[in-house]
Each structure stands twice: as structure tokens, then as C-alpha cells.
Amino acid sequence: MARAKVLVTRAWPAEVEARLAAGYDVTLNTSDTALTPAELVAAAADYDAILPTVTDRIGAEVFAGAPRLRILGNYGVGFSHIATDAARAAGVVVTNTPDVLSDCTADIAMTLILMAARRAGEGERLVRSGQWTGWRPTQLVGRKVSGAVLGIVGFGRIGQALARRAHHGFGMRVLVQNRSAVAPEVLAACGAEQVGTLDDLLPKVDVLSLHCPGGAANRHLIGAAALGRMKPDAILVNTARGEVVDEGALAEALAAGQIAAAGLDVYEAEPRVTPALMGMENVVLLPHLGSATHETRAAMGHRVVDNLDAFFAGKNPPDRVV
Ligand code: DGY
């Protein structure tokens, strides 16, 4: 029987590319440049499976015209870059990679919390500039993270992993806002308390960390109104999806002193960052590093291949989202 034809849109960890090559008629992306929208449309007509990432915008046009495409095995947990309604209508299965990246993404959220609170980016820039004149009692004084109140928006796997770190590692009080009620034992595991609405949460927290899905439903969830409800010494951290925060409103809130600092790993129009944020000392900017460890990136790839193997064996893929 002919092997399924599979397109990998970016370079992947070598061990996973080798596994794919052993099982499929696979096209790898050795140049690691993102495909154009036209190339993605053409690929849908040519391949049984496409394995995209967050840098591939898979719009409705990819599914138009009865393509050969049968499955999209997304390399990543978030899939707001895929037009899932159009995939469903076209009968194309979509899978993602949950679980395996929760710890590392929570680690990056904690990194941003600490960097923003303790002014680590500013300090690093100072040392590298050669302008550091030595220790002073009043130099680069930040805010204490241990014991502070952490608000978590979206209490899925990554939100829970952050809550465990924050509570057990830093003695933070954790408040949670989530669409559905969180089981009492899940909250108890990290000493967390669920609040009713985002508006209830905002004025209570020293740090707000976002872990909800992206997409239209949560676009600009944190905009001018929400930022206006936060404490003036609060910190905003986003490792979820860029569209959840209105970057323009965030820049204005920071400039006006409505909140104290921000740590961002994701952006509205990656890799572009709102220019006003680029010049602000109290904003930590990371290049979407959430899942970027050797262990996790390999595990994500294997998770995609597990889904693919199940699909082409006629089974329901374990991480099917459409
Ligand atoms: C994820 O897994 O969603 C990461 O942000 C990369 O897409």
C-alpha cells in the first residue's frame, strides 16, 4: 500500500524527522522558512497530511476545492491559527500536542514573572552596556514575588503547572478565573481559590498571568478596560496567545503608570512587536520560547506522529480537536 504523503512545514527535531521518514512519504523543510499562503493552498491539494506550526496561518482557503488533505497534525497545543470550522466542514481532522509542553511553558511564565518583578532585563542591559557602576542600595529595586498574589486566567494544564510552581515554590496566593468550575481537589493541590469573573480578579492581583486559549473568543480580553482595573504596581504576563492582549492598550497603560510592568512571550502579529513596547524598560520581551527545550520539542513532535499513526491506522487520534 502507498505510504501517506506528509508535509512538515518547518524544521523539526532530527529524531522526530527520522521517525516520520521511516513511516511516511515525507517532505521535510530543510530551509526552515515559513510557507507562503499560496504554498499552503497548493500543499492541501498534494498531501494527505500537513504538519503545521503556529507560524502557518491555515485559513478557510486551504480547505476550499476538495483538497487531498485529510489531517492537520499541529505541532503545538494552541490552534487559533487554524480555521477549525472550515476544517470541520471539509472533513479534515485536526490534532494538537497537549500535556507535553505544560511544564516548560509554565517555567517560561515563571521566568517572565521573576524577570519583570526583579527588573532582570533592565539589569542585564545595564551590565552589557558597560555603564554599571557597582552595587547601590537603591539600584534597580523591584518588587517581591514571594508571597505576592498571582491571578491566573484559564486554569487548564499550563495554568495549573504555573500555580504549583508559584504556590509551592514562591508561597504565592493563587486566584483563578476559569470559564467552568474547577474541581475543589485541583484548586487545593496548589492552594488556589476560584473567583467569579475576570473583573473580580483584576483588582485583587499583584501578577496576572494569561493561560486561556487565543482566537476570536478571547481577542483583546485584556484591553484598556481590563488594564484600568488592575493595581498600579501590578505585572501582566502573557504566554498564551498574542491576540488575548491589546498591545496598543498595554503600551498606553504602561506609559500612563496604570500597571507597573509586563512580560510577554507572544504577540498579536508575531514576529512584529508593537514599537512602543520595544522601547520600554519595564517590559520583558521573549521570542515565543514557551515550549523551547530539547525535551519538550522532541516530545511535541512524537505526539504529532502518534496522532498521525493512529489516524492512518484507522483509529481516532488521541489529541483530536476537530
Ligand atoms: C503552542 O504549543 O501552542 C506554542 O505556543 C507553539 O505553537
Side-chain angles (χ1 to χ4, degrees), residues 50-124:
I50 300 178
L51 312 185
T53 73
V54 67
T55 58
D56 303 303
R57 209 194 65 80
I58 313 280
E61 68 283 357
V62 172
F63 306 99
R68 173 173 175 170
L69 183 64
R70 296 168 60 200
I71 177 168
L72 281 174
N74 185 56
Y75 183 96
V77 66
F79 49 89
S80 59
H81 54 289
I82 298 173
T84 45
D85 286 345
R88 194 173 291 109
V92 174
V93 167
V94 181
T95 62
N96 72 343
T97 62
D99 300 319
V100 290
L101 43 71
S102 303
D103 281 336
C104 286
T105 306
D107 288 350
I108 280 289
M110 202 68 227
T111 302
L112 285 170
I113 292 169
L114 289 166
M115 285 185 74
R118 300 302 305 277
R119 304 175 66 177
E122 281 176 83
E124 227 247 349

Side-chain angles (χ1 to χ4, degrees), residues 140-157:
L140 288 178
V141 174
R143 74 168 299 168
K144 186 172 174 183
V145 169
S146 297
V149 180
L150 170 65
I152 296 184
V153 177
F155 210 51
R157 300 171 187 88

Side-chain angles (χ1 to χ4, degrees), residues 184-195:
E185 62 274 17
V186 172
L187 292 169
C190 40
E193 208 181 301
Q194 184 164 11
V195 301

